[in-house]
């Protein structure tokens, strides 16, 4: 048998085996067997060096042709196997486009955060800035500056969370019992006129269906030379109308006592309690929702503001309770449970930010 016949036989054998390979592993083994360093074609290529020039001239091109044809056959077969594998995968993992899509799980805005956004919008439209302060406060900011006398019940440990850490006056720091210290901080750093609100967490030792050890408040403060109780009343009426989104709101001011305001008043809103629900702006019942009054001259003096020249008003209310009244929640404790089902029911879409133009709730 001649060398040419041997090459033709080898080529037929290799091409047949390439065609018969049924996976990439078998094809790779064949490639190594034929074209690897110890492969059959590679061995013939090494023998070219021992041939005469005439033999190399005749045998060399034939051997190179064999190598190219086998290599090309392997490449084509590999591509075909890869395409077949992809087709099989697509058939096995086919998607039924007639099924409804799987909706991604979206988080929701907590009702407390939603109400804070609503209140910021409402009071922002009336020219109030938003101020912030820390949860841990000094005794001076939380009590003394706000005209709480040394033996006031609010300073007792059954009402207030006291800490071991002490402030620069040597007094124990407290978890703030109201957001009023932010008003003190604002008056200490800013001269009148002042028109601000503050919102945030507060802490008191109390827990039942309508009270929790941690809750949220909003407070407002206006200090200038001319503000009166009439201005306070007009601001509160406008804010309650906007928040509850009702056109007719009745407010009732009842005399009360707060250390930091004089005169002081608790404010009731007209409502309807029939049917097991509270409806604001209807009926003949009343519901207490906030405290207010004219800022006490002692508070102004404690914060470095001349009470002979300036006056103003302040108000405060519970954000959690406002959420309960507007959105029909009956237990404050559920606000702080780690139950995402509650948030799924009462939470708000993160894509719908509150605004006076498109509505608040």
């Amino acid at each position: 048998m001649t060398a040419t016949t041997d090459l033709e036989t080898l080529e037929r054998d290799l091409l047949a085996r390439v065609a018969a390979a049924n996976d990439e592993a078998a094809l790779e083994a064949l490639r190594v067997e034929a074209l690897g360093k110890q492969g059959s074609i590679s061995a013939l290529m090494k023998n070219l060096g021992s041939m005469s020039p005439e033999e190399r001239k005749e045998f060399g091109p034939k051997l190179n042709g064999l190598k190219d044809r086998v290599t090309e056959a392997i490449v084509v077969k590999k591509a075909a196997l890869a395409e077949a594998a992809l087709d099989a995968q697509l058939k096995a993992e086919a998607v039924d486009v007639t099924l409804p899509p799987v909706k991604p799980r979206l988080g929701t805005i907590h009702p407390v955060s939603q109400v804070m956004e609503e209140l910021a919008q409402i009071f922002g439209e009336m020219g109030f800035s938003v101020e912030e302060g820390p949860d841990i406060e000094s005794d001076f900011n939380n009590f003394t500056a706000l005209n709480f006398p040394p033996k006031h019940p609010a300073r007792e440990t059954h009402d207030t969370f006291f800490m071991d850490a002490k402030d620069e006056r040597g007094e124990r720091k407290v978890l703030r019992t109201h957001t009023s210290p932010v008003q003190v901080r604002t008056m200490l750093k800013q001269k009148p006129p002042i028109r601000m609100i503050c919102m945030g967490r507060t802490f008191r030792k109390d827990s039942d269906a309508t009270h929790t050890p941690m809750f949220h408040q909003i407070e407002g403060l206006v200090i200038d030379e001319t503000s009166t109780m009439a201005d306070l009343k007009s601001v509160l009426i406008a804010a309650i109308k906007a928040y509850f989104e009702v056109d007719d709101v009745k407010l009732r001011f009842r005399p009360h006592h707060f250390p930091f305001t004089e005169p002081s008043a608790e404010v009731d809103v007209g409502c309807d309690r029939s049917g097991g629900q509270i409806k604001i702006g209807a009926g003949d019942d009343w519901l207490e929702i906030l405290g207010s009054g004219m800022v006490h001259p002692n508070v102004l003096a404690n914060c470095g503001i001349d009470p002979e020249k300036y006056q103003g008003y302040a108000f405060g209310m519970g954000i959690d309770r406002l959420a309960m009244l507007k959105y029909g929640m009956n237990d404050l404790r559920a606000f702080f449970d780690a139950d995402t089902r509650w948030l799924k029911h009462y939470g708000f879409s993160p894509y719908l930010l509150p605004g006076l133009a498109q509505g608040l709730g």
Side-chain angles (χ1 to χ4, degrees), residues 7-316:
L7 289 180
E8 291 174 350
T9 302
L10 178 61
E11 180 175 349
R12 284 194 302 271
D13 178 62
L14 291 176
L15 293 180
R17 292 175 62 188
V18 168
N22 53 13
D23 56 50
E24 292 193 29
L27 187 65
E28 176 63 16
L30 178 58
R31 185 196 66 80
V32 173
E33 181 184 337
L35 302 172
K37 290 183 178 181
Q38 305 301 323
S40 55
I41 295 178
S42 300
L44 293 175
M45 297 289 290
K46 293 177 182 179
N47 291 336
L48 288 175
S50 61
M51 294 182 180
S52 64
E54 291 77 11
E55 291 175 325
R56 284 199 299 271
K57 185 175 181 181
E58 177 186 358
F59 194 65
K62 295 179 180 180
L63 189 56
N64 284 327
L66 169 62
K67 180 179 179 182
D68 291 342
R69 288 188 292 274
V70 171
T71 301
E72 182 181 0
I74 291 174
V75 170
V76 172
K77 183 64 175 182
K78 185 176 182 179
L81 289 173
E83 184 176 355
L86 179 59
D87 289 341
Q89 182 181 3
L90 291 176
K91 290 180 180 179
E93 300 176 2
V95 177
D96 186 352
V97 295
T98 64
L99 292 175
V102 178
K103 294 182 179 180
R105 295 182 62 185
L106 294 178
T108 56
I109 301 297
H110 194 283
V112 169
S113 299
Q114 172 75 12
V115 172
M116 285 184 174
E117 290 287 344
E118 295 177 18
L119 295 173
Q121 286 279 345
I122 291 168
F123 286 104
E125 290 287 321
M126 291 189 279
F128 286 78
S129 64
V130 179
E131 303 292 338
E132 296 181 340
D135 293 347
I136 300 175
E137 268 294 359
S138 66
D139 184 275
F140 176 81
N141 287 348
N142 198 79
F143 294 123
T144 305
L146 294 166
N147 204 33
F148 283 87
K151 298 298 182 179
H152 192 281
R155 290 176 176 260
E156 298 298 324
T157 55
H158 60 77
D159 285 326
T160 301
F161 293 99
F162 284 89
M163 307 185 70
D164 291 334
K166 295 184 178 181
D167 60 24
E168 62 276 4
R169 300 169 185 263
E171 298 172 324
R172 294 173 67 186
K173 291 186 175 182
V174 301
L175 292 178
R176 64 183 183 187
T177 59
H178 43 191
T179 48
S180 301
V182 182
Q183 297 183 19
V184 173
R185 289 173 174 270
T186 302
M187 287 187 283
L188 288 172
K189 72 180 182 181
Q190 179 181 335
K191 297 302 179 183
I194 297 172
R195 194 175 182 87
M196 55 79 71
I197 60 169
C198 51
M199 297 180 285
R201 292 174 293 186
T202 54
F203 308 86
R204 295 179 193 172
K205 291 185 176 180
D206 205 355
S207 181
D208 56 44
T210 57
H211 299 83
T212 57
M214 184 195 77
F215 55 102
H216 299 83
Q217 278 190 340
I218 175 174
E219 295 192 24
L221 174 70
V222 173
I223 302 294
D224 55 29
E225 298 182 27
T226 60
S227 290
T228 65
M229 286 286 286
D231 299 313
L232 167 62
K233 185 174 182 179
S234 66
V235 165
L236 293 179
I237 290 175
I240 296 301
K241 280 185 178 181
Y243 175 72
F244 287 105
E245 301 182 69
V246 294
D247 296 327
D248 186 18
V249 168
K250 297 182 296 181
L251 291 186
R252 181 175 69 179
F253 285 68
R254 289 182 290 104
H256 195 69
H257 169 71
F258 298 114
F260 35 81
T261 52
E262 182 60 39
S264 303
E266 284 192 334
V267 181
D268 302 333
V269 62
C271 66
D272 181 5
R273 298 174 182 266
S274 63
Q277 291 185 333
I278 298 176
K279 185 177 181 180
I280 304 299
D284 299 321
D285 292 326
W286 296 94
L287 177 69
E288 186 270 319
I289 58 170
L290 62 92
S292 65
M294 300 299 293
V295 179
H296 199 292
N298 289 349
V299 175
L300 296 176
N302 290 336
C303 295
I305 296 176
D306 184 2
E308 297 295 329
K309 181 178 180 181
Y310 296 104
Q311 60 190 36
Y313 59 82
F315 57 87

Side-chain angles (χ1 to χ4, degrees), residues 207-213 324 330-338:
S207 181
D208 56 44
T210 57
H211 299 83
T212 57
M324 293 174 72
N330 57 11
D331 193 327
L332 184 60
R333 292 168 293 190
F335 277 58
F336 311 109
D337 288 340

